Amino acid sequence: MANILRKFILLGAAIYGVNCWADEIPLLLTGEVASAQSQTVTAPKSSSWQIQIQWLAEEGAIVQQGDLIAVFDSGGIQTQLEENQENLQTQKLQLIKTEMDLNQALVEAEGRVKLAAISVKKTRIEANIPDGEVSDYEKGKFVIAYEKALMEQLKAQENLILKRTERDVGISKQQIEITKLEEKITYDQGQIEKLSVSAAMTGPISHVMHPWMQQKISAGTNVQTSWEVIRVQSQSLYQVTSWVHEIDAMKLNINDGVLKLTLDAYPQHSYKGKILSMSSQAEQRNQWSDSAYYRLDIAFDEAVKDDIFPGMSVRIEQQEGSMDEN
């Protein structure tokens, strides 16, 4: 029993020693230089669940504001646009024919109203012939003809109202179809414009890592809507972007922590850094592991003497106290 107790004591001491040793190890992270001012190009919405990239500007190239940097496949949208444009021309021709047919029917209805009015006047005169000038039989025929003319006039007037309504409704429906097609065409044209993306600023190009495969996105890749594809970063306002594991995030001193930043390209120099912000929600980084990570934005807390560019690797070490300048 004493031996078992001794083993538990030794095991506990060993675990305590390991934990103390782990706590003494400074938190070490990796990051990369990034600009606080950047443009991220995402895959636009398309007619299907994915879209192909036709062309991307070369990674590392310095592009000028307004330069073309990405072109997405417009095949499906272009085909739909052409179909809508052809349909629009057909609908406009149909509108002309509809107007002609309905206006002709209205003119005919107006003509019948005029003829009915003339018939009413004629039969009224005959029906008003004084008694005695014609036989009762003839008089009766005139009265019946007058009443029939009145009835025909009423029908002609009702038909005229109907034809006017049919004309207005028919033309309005055709115009609505044309408006819908014009809106679809405008939308498709806007989508096609979005498929050719220009740089919003001057700076270097960097391609984004594919979320599923261990390689960067390139021309010919099929991507889903809203996926990040390419970035342009300004050549100023440099800072460091890093991702910290959800376990290590608890060790960070967000407000008062002092960071030591060492660029892999210039290992002989180190700079002070401070945390600008940490994302409030952890994100999955499938290319690393199944764990979640928090994004860190870190500022250089002193002037950088070396020539730095976006994408440069940075070693980040949390310091307990102040850091002497190197």
Side-chain angles (χ1 to χ4, degrees):
M1 183 68 180
N3 290 334
I4 295 175
L5 182 61
R6 186 179 300 108
K7 289 181 180 179
F8 274 110
I9 293 173
L10 292 174
L11 178 61
I15 294 175
Y16 175 77
V18 169
N19 288 336
C20 292
W21 174 74
D23 290 339
E24 292 176 358
I25 297 177
L27 181 61
L28 188 64
L29 303 172
T30 59
E32 65 177 30
V33 175
S35 175
Q37 183 179 12
S38 63
Q39 173 192 7
T40 301
V41 177
T42 58
K45 183 179 179 181
S46 66
S47 56
S48 63
W49 64 278
Q50 65 178 4
I51 189 170
Q52 186 179 64
I53 302 171
Q54 287 189 338
W55 178 84
L56 289 178
E58 184 180 355
E59 185 168 30
I62 305 297
V63 296
Q64 302 297 315
Q65 183 177 359
D67 287 352
L68 188 65
I69 57 175
V71 178
F72 297 88
D73 181 28
S74 61
I77 299 177
Q78 184 65 40
T79 300
Q80 185 176 1
L81 174 61
E82 292 173 357
E83 290 177 356
N84 287 334
Q85 287 174 331
E86 292 177 0
N87 195 12
L88 177 61
Q89 296 303 317
T90 301
Q91 292 296 333
K92 285 183 176 179
L93 292 175
Q94 182 62 41
L95 174 61
I96 295 174
K97 183 179 183 301
T98 299
E99 288 178 335
M100 292 177 62
D101 292 343
L102 295 176
N103 284 329
Q104 179 63 32
L106 180 61
V107 170
E108 292 176 357
E110 290 173 343
R112 283 194 291 271
V113 169
K114 292 178 180 179
L115 289 174
I118 294 172
S119 179
V120 167
K121 289 180 180 180
K122 176 178 178 296
T123 56
R124 182 189 295 119
I125 294 173
E126 292 175 343
N128 288 332
I129 295 176
D131 296 338
E133 293 187 6
V134 295
S135 65
D136 291 342
Y137 175 74
E138 292 293 330
K139 178 72 173 181
K141 287 176 58 178
F142 292 152
V143 172
I144 292 173
Y146 174 60
E147 291 176 350
K148 185 178 180 181
L150 287 174
M151 185 62 69
E152 292 297 327
Q153 184 184 41
L154 180 60
K155 290 181 179 179
Q157 290 172 343
E158 290 176 349
N159 183 64
L160 176 60
I161 295 173
L162 178 62
K163 294 302 178 182
R164 282 175 177 165
T165 302
E166 287 180 351
R167 183 197 62 176
D168 295 342
V169 171
I171 292 175
S172 178
K173 286 177 63 178
Q174 198 66 34
Q175 289 174 335
I176 289 173
E177 291 299 319
I178 290 174
T179 300
K180 287 181 179 179
L181 282 171
E182 289 175 339
E183 289 176 350
K184 288 181 181 178
I185 289 172
T186 301
Y187 175 79
D188 289 341
Q189 289 173 337
Q191 288 298 103
I192 290 177
E193 289 179 1
K194 293 179 181 178
L195 297 177
S196 297
V197 185
S198 299
M201 63 192 66
T202 298
I205 287 284
S206 60
H207 294 191
V208 178
M209 289 293 294
H210 195 287
W212 300 340
M213 298 179 285
Q214 297 297 322
Q215 61 185 29
K216 290 194 173 183
I217 292 175
S218 60
T221 304
N222 290 323
V223 293
Q224 296 183 22
T225 300
S226 77
W227 276 14
E228 294 184 359
V229 173
I230 196 172
R231 292 193 187 97
V232 183
Q233 300 193 62
S234 173
Q235 294 177 296
S236 61
L237 303 175
Y238 287 132
Q239 58 185 34
V240 176
T241 299
S242 179
W243 293 87
V244 58
H245 193 279
E246 55 188 347
I247 296 177
D248 293 331
M250 302 300 295
K251 303 177 184 178
L252 279 173
N253 188 343
I254 303 296
N255 298 321
D256 303 321
V258 178
L259 302 179
K260 177 182 178 182
L261 307 177
T262 306
L263 287 90
D264 290 352
Y266 307 105
Q268 70 278 15
H269 294 158
S270 295
Y271 300 95
K272 292 180 182 178
K274 63 179 180 180
I275 298 175
L276 293 174
S277 64
M278 184 173 74
S279 58
S280 58
Q281 186 173 357
E283 301 178 30
Q284 293 289 334
R285 307 294 288 180
N286 295 329
Q287 63 268 35
W288 296 342
S289 70
D290 294 332
S291 300
Y293 296 80
Y294 291 90
R295 176 189 168 108
L296 287 178
D297 288 327
I298 303 168
F300 287 97
D301 208 17
E302 57 182 310
V304 180
K305 304 173 183 178
D306 303 301
D307 294 330
I308 61 175
F309 303 96
M312 282 186 168
S313 298
V314 182
R315 188 170 71 254
I316 306 163
E317 185 177 351
Q318 181 168 259
Q319 304 290 304
E320 292 300 326
S322 62
M323 188 186 79
D324 294 333
E325 294 184 2
N326 293 312

